[in-house]
Amino acid sequence: MNYTTVWQHGQDEHIEKKSRFIGQAWPVHSEEEAREIIERTKKEFWDASHNVFTYRVGDIQRFTDDGEPSGTAGKPMLDVLLGRDLQNVLVIVTRYFGGTLLGTGGLVRAYTKGAKIAVDAAGKSMKRVWTALYIPIPYSYYERVKLEIE
């Protein structure tokens, strides 16, 4: 099984009508690892207005709007992961409210951009699953088997 994920933790931020959006992305290997990072991030940014997250681990996909209007934050971020076909990745976008309401369209654009810049900052990595085999064969068959394996 081959899949694309983020290479390392990445972080970037942007300002939208005085609201500050901090996007972060991590490679994760389990739902428990994702939840630990989410809790740690909520503690780190305890004073933020919202800590919106989305993740994909294997067949599991989760997201939350964390108090933003339904469908304006978590789902657009998940769409970024789906659009880039990323697996085993967690994205959190933290918002510090700047005093100006963005409206539903503005929120969708801001959280989508937050997810995109976080994934871009983390970089992409292709993962390939390999299997090592031990096959005892006579030396006279070595070249033939080697060609077949390649």
Side-chain angles (χ1 to χ4, degrees):
M1 178 178 103
N2 300 333
Y3 65 93
T4 306
T5 187
V6 293
W7 182 61
Q8 62 184 355
H9 173 252
Q11 180 176 325
D12 203 352
E13 63 182 76
H14 70 98
I15 306 292
E16 192 75 34
K17 293 186 181 178
K18 299 181 188 174
S19 284
R20 180 178 171 209
F21 292 86
I22 304 167
Q24 299 184 79
W26 292 265
V28 291
H29 304 293
S30 68
E31 190 170 17
E32 294 77 30
E33 182 182 4
R35 291 193 179 280
E36 287 173 11
I37 294 171
I38 291 165
E39 289 306 313
R40 196 170 60 232
T41 302
K42 284 181 179 181
K43 288 178 185 174
E44 180 182 353
F45 296 101
W46 60 271
D47 57 339
S49 305
H50 306 279
N51 285 294
V52 177
F53 71 82
T54 186
Y55 61 84
R56 291 184 74 198
V57 179
D59 294 334
I60 301 169
Q61 298 179 157
R62 302 256 191 271
F63 66 87
T64 183
D65 291 319
D66 193 37
E68 294 285 19
S70 180
T72 61
K75 179 68 168 107
M77 290 169 45
L78 178 61
D79 290 341
V80 170
L81 302 184
L82 293 170
R84 295 186 181 197
D85 196 28
L86 296 173
Q87 288 285 338
N88 293 1
V89 62
L90 163 66
V91 175
I92 301 175
V93 176
T94 300
R95 179 186 184 191
Y96 285 94
F97 183 64
T100 304
L101 296 175
L102 301 178
T104 56
L107 287 172
V108 169
R109 284 189 297 278
Y111 280 104
T112 298
K113 182 175 180 179
K116 285 180 179 178
I117 63 175
V119 167
D120 290 343
K124 284 187 181 178
S125 175
M126 171 65 82
K127 300 290 183 175
R128 295 189 173 130
V129 178
W130 294 87
T131 302
L133 298 174
Y134 173 72
I135 305 172
I137 57 169
Y139 186 75
S140 60
Y141 289 107
Y142 174 74
E143 288 299 325
R144 185 175 186 183
V145 171
K146 182 176 144 187
L147 288 172
E148 290 295 325
I149 289 173
E150 288 176 1

